Amino acid sequence: MARKTRVEYSEVSEDFLARRSLRKGAAGWILLAGLGVAYVISGDFSGWNLGLAQGGWGGLLIAFLLMGIMYVCMTLGLAEMSSALPTAGAGYGFARRGLGPLGGFATGMAILIEYSMAPAAISTFIAGYVQALGILPAGVPAWTIYLVAYLIFVGIHIWGVGEALRVMFVITAIAVVAILVFVFSMIGHFDAANLFDIAPVAERMGSSEFLPFGVSGLLASLVFGIWFFLAVEGVPLAAEESADPKRDMPRGIMTAMFILLVFGALVLVLVPGTAGAQAMGTSDNPLPEAMRHVYGESSLLAAFVNWAGLAGLVASFFSIIFAYSRQLFALSRAGYLPKWLSLTGKRKTPYLALIIPGTIGFILAVATGGAGGILLNVAVFGATVSYVLLNLSHITLRIREPKLERGYRTPGGAVTTSIALVLAVVAVVATFVVDVLAAGIAAGVLLLAIAYFWIYSRHHLVASAPEEEFAQLKAAEDQLK
């Protein structure tokens, strides 16, 4: 992924960028923070708890702490890069400047794999919640729920980004209230003994009451530690639609990260601490199940949290649709992917970049028979690869461009993102430990995309795309030295 990868630029029409423009000033830092929380909040309601069955509470606690450190360090780096390079390309744009065109494209594609697969997985979880709650008549096939979810929420995004972000904010607020209700109603029932009710497996190296599945269980838990924070790095994708990206981006992403750390720690302690780590390690809806364990099957509080858990899933589904559309839009606008994918409509939304991945996600959800787990594992692999490249981009920019104008500077500089880089590499390895098939599928798709870039798209880039202009300005500055 050397910076010296040769590229060629193709001629485009005078109105090329005019037909690919986004709505400016649609989001301030509060909406951006809400977007960051929305990306992730479904992970507080389900998914993370499966790590209890992999590594026990101790293993998942260490995973939460390590991945929490990784995300904090990485988001501090992203806050700096998004203030210096505020474009819709976000991760692709940062890596394009720091690692060159191949590094930029690989980063963008890894992010696109993450954000295309995550909604497909979440749509299957939404269907599971809807069926469990008895909202629809018995016998309604799950695929119809996937379809309705995609139609409604892709449609709202096509309607307008400001409208979409406000709807998302309201849905996220409902999920936040549910977590607060859970915390305040369960904190008095916490018993530390419940955290360690999984018997140690003697055959596992390093097994103990704290780490019942030993060192291998701890490594497997890392992937589930990621679920507490997965996709928060997507906040900078709204840079071109924010009111003041140099100020709003750092405030938005760091506020979201703080909220997610607090919520993640609370559910990690209170869910198994009230209902037991062993029971919660296999639960499909751990928060309401823990409440029913304490308050009984007919608990109204548990029912409210159950319904709000659906809101949390919808919030993440809704917001990640936004993320995949902006990353695809940016890659297409710059010519790395087919240019027609970045066309925007009268309401300044990239309708094809919303519809195409949504259609692919729906097909995959149906084709896998609702196996959300494998889809989510594919997403996690894409995410961890992008984290390696994003942190490397920040380190490279700090070394090679110390005088680059930055609206915010990462505390600790390259040392901070070096910590995140090391942990991201460990996380990539962990994805193969948990699911070799999913990681292999994602790696195969990424390699095919890189082949497309090398054979075709690097010869047909668009010089006037913002991310490419940033890179060309740097190249021109280097020639003057």
Side-chain angles (χ1 to χ4, degrees):
M1 297 182 188
R3 291 169 57 88
K4 295 182 180 179
T5 301
R6 295 186 62 181
V7 298
E8 299 169 20
Y9 293 104
S10 59
E11 294 292 328
V12 294
S13 62
E14 291 184 3
D15 66 342
F16 180 85
L17 290 182
R19 297 168 63 199
R20 291 162 174 82
S21 60
L22 301 171
R23 181 179 167 188
K24 310 295 184 182
W29 76 269
I30 294 176
L31 275 181
L32 292 172
L35 177 64
V37 174
Y39 282 143
V40 187
I41 199 164
S42 66
D44 287 325
F45 285 93
S46 62
W48 66 268
N49 57 298
L50 302 179
L52 295 168
Q54 295 284 337
W57 188 78
L60 188 55
L61 172 64
I62 296 173
F64 173 81
L65 293 173
L66 289 176
M67 294 300 96
I69 291 170
M70 180 186 77
Y71 273 93
V72 168
C73 292
M74 181 175 69
T75 53
L76 288 171
L78 289 173
E80 176 178 301
M81 291 190 291
S82 61
S83 72
L85 305 167
T87 68
Y92 136 63
F94 308 152
R96 172 65 180 91
R97 181 71 176 248
L99 304 177
L102 177 56
F105 177 71
T107 304
M109 282 306 304
I111 293 170
L112 194 55
I113 289 170
E114 173 192 358
Y115 289 154
S116 297
M117 292 299 99
I122 295 171
S123 71
T124 68
F125 302 151
I126 289 173
Y129 259 74
V130 169
Q131 290 171 331
L133 288 167
I135 299 172
L136 298 175
V140 174
W143 69 265
T144 60
I145 301 173
Y146 313 157
L147 180 61
V148 170
Y150 271 108
L151 287 174
I152 291 175
F153 296 113
V154 168
I156 293 174
H157 278 295
I158 292 174
W159 178 31
V161 63
E163 293 81 0
L165 290 177
R166 283 188 284 273
V167 171
M168 174 274 302
F169 196 88
V170 172
I171 298 171
T172 304
I174 294 171
V176 167
V177 169
I179 291 178
L180 294 176
V181 168
F182 172 82
V183 168
F184 286 112
S185 63
M186 297 292 280
I187 196 166
H189 300 275
F190 172 77
D191 182 350
N194 291 326
L195 302 173
F196 308 107
D197 65 351
I198 299 176
V201 179
E203 295 79 16
R204 297 287 188 96
M205 183 179 70
S207 64
S208 64
E209 186 180 65
F210 184 73
L211 288 175
F213 302 104
V215 176
S216 61
L218 167 61
L219 186 60
S221 295
L222 290 176
V223 170
F224 299 94
I226 289 173
W227 287 9
F228 287 103
F229 313 105
L230 182 69
V232 69
E233 73 279 1
V235 173
L237 288 164
E240 287 187 31
E241 293 154 288
S242 66
D244 183 359
K246 289 192 175 184
R247 180 178 65 93
D248 292 341
M249 279 295 152
R251 292 175 70 184
I253 194 169
M254 288 189 291
T255 299
M257 191 64 218
F258 173 76
I259 293 171
L260 293 168
L261 280 169
V262 172
F263 282 178
L266 288 170
V267 299
L268 174 60
V269 171
L270 289 176
V271 170
T274 52
Q278 186 167 25
M280 292 297 95
T282 57
S283 174
D284 292 330
N285 51 351
L287 273 66
E289 191 170 319
M291 295 189 77
R292 291 190 180 99
H293 176 80
V294 171
Y295 292 101
E297 290 297 322
S298 58
S299 168
L300 292 177
L301 284 174
F304 168 72
V305 172
N306 209 150
W307 279 90
L310 178 58
L313 290 170
V314 168
S316 292
F317 178 79
F318 190 20
S319 55
I320 298 175
I321 287 173
F322 171 87
Y324 76 54
S325 69
R326 270 45 180 186
Q327 189 66 90
L328 178 56
F329 166 82
L331 288 169
S332 167
R333 180 178 61 181
Y336 289 88
L337 294 176
K339 299 179 181 70
W340 52 268
L341 288 169
S342 55
L343 289 169
T344 53
K346 293 181 179 179
R347 299 187 66 85
K348 302 297 183 183
T349 54
Y351 57 94
L352 291 172
L354 285 160
I355 293 170
I356 301 299
T359 303
I360 293 171
F362 167 71
I363 292 171
L364 288 174
V366 175
T368 57
I374 189 170
L375 295 171
L376 202 52
N377 286 336
V378 171
V380 169
F381 177 84
T384 55
V385 170
S386 75
Y387 298 164
V388 170
L389 296 171
L390 286 171
N391 287 302
L392 190 58
S393 299
H394 179 265
I395 295 166
T396 303
L397 287 170
R398 269 301 183 99
I399 295 171
R400 292 179 174 171
E401 299 189 51
K403 295 183 180 180
L404 176 66
E405 183 180 350
R406 295 163 167 89
Y408 171 85
R409 297 185 73 85
T410 304
V415 173
T416 299
T417 41
S418 294
I419 294 169
L421 174 62
V422 172
L423 291 171
V425 171
V426 174
V428 172
V429 174
T431 62
F432 283 94
V433 173
V434 173
D435 193 336
V436 174
L437 176 61
I441 290 171
V445 172
L446 185 58
L447 289 173
L448 286 173
I450 290 173
Y452 170 80
F453 164 80
W454 196 258
I455 295 169
Y456 179 79
S457 68
R458 73 187 179 102
H459 303 294
H460 299 84
L461 301 184
V462 177
S464 55
E467 297 83 4
E468 295 304 306
E469 284 191 331
F470 275 129
Q472 291 176 80
L473 284 172
K474 177 61 175 70
E477 291 171 0
D478 290 342
Q479 289 179 358
L480 292 174
K481 292 179 180 179

